[in-house]
Amino acid sequence: MRLLIVDDHAEVRDLLLRSLRGEGHEVAVAATAGEARERLATSGMDVIVLDVALPDGSGIDLCRELRQEGTSTPVLLLTAHASVAERVAGLDAGADDFLGKPFAVSELRARVRALGRRGPALRPLVVRSGEARLDFRARRAERASTEVPLTAREWSLLELLAARAGRFVSRGEILELVWGGEADATASLEVLIARIRRKLGEGVVRTMRGHGYALVVD
């Protein structure tokens, strides 16, 4: 796979460069958001490993820019502050996975392989489901042509479901990606699903008992 490592710490870049090249990957590195943009402008990548804290900006902001430009390459965010708020911000920006610092290189390699197998996510800009219309770029939701306010976490969950094109997403994966694996988030997920159905319509989200949820797409 072709990988781009974006991190301003030379030790981290060198460690990941040696480790990932040792697995047979083609690896490019960048120390700043600006360098990352230059790399991506000249060559396509299969996975981007992106540090949140960069000297010339936020990795979350860079991820958001890439998604707005139509880049669908999977992004793994590296963060020293793996708070729920930061994870939600990253998901809203279009990130696919998170890994907190310090991390085990073996886990990073496994997450990179998993993202590479998944491939570019299909991120629909507009989805219709019954009376509901979801515009993910504008963050605008409507029901029967009337705007409906959604929270950041509701958008994160809906975008995750929409990216799977109607397939069921397991509760475990939702809890990991939307709540950061919080142990007590199961009840919060059920509340969030109920709230989305109340706002957008009962038939917008389907439940597979004991497994997870799917977005019903027209």
Side-chain angles (χ1 to χ4, degrees), residues 83-104:
S83 66
V84 173
E86 190 166 73
R87 288 172 180 264
V88 170
L91 286 168
D92 283 342
D96 298 271
D97 198 1
F98 293 85
L99 188 58
K101 291 183 173 181
F103 54 82

Side-chain angles (χ1 to χ4, degrees), residues 81-92 95-98 151-161 169-196 205 212-213:
H81 307 287
S83 66
V84 173
E86 190 166 73
R87 288 172 180 264
V88 170
L91 286 168
D92 283 342
D96 298 271
D97 198 1
F98 293 85
T151 66
R153 185 160 282 172
E154 288 166 351
W155 277 116
S156 295
L157 175 56
L158 287 167
E159 187 167 32
L160 174 61
L161 297 179
V169 183
S170 71
R171 296 168 63 91
E173 186 172 2
I174 293 172
L175 293 174
E176 174 63 28
L177 292 177
V178 179
W179 273 270
E182 290 181 53
D184 59 349
T186 300
S188 299
L189 171 57
E190 295 173 354
V191 169
L192 198 68
I193 292 292
R195 203 163 62 201
I196 288 173
V205 178
Y213 302 94

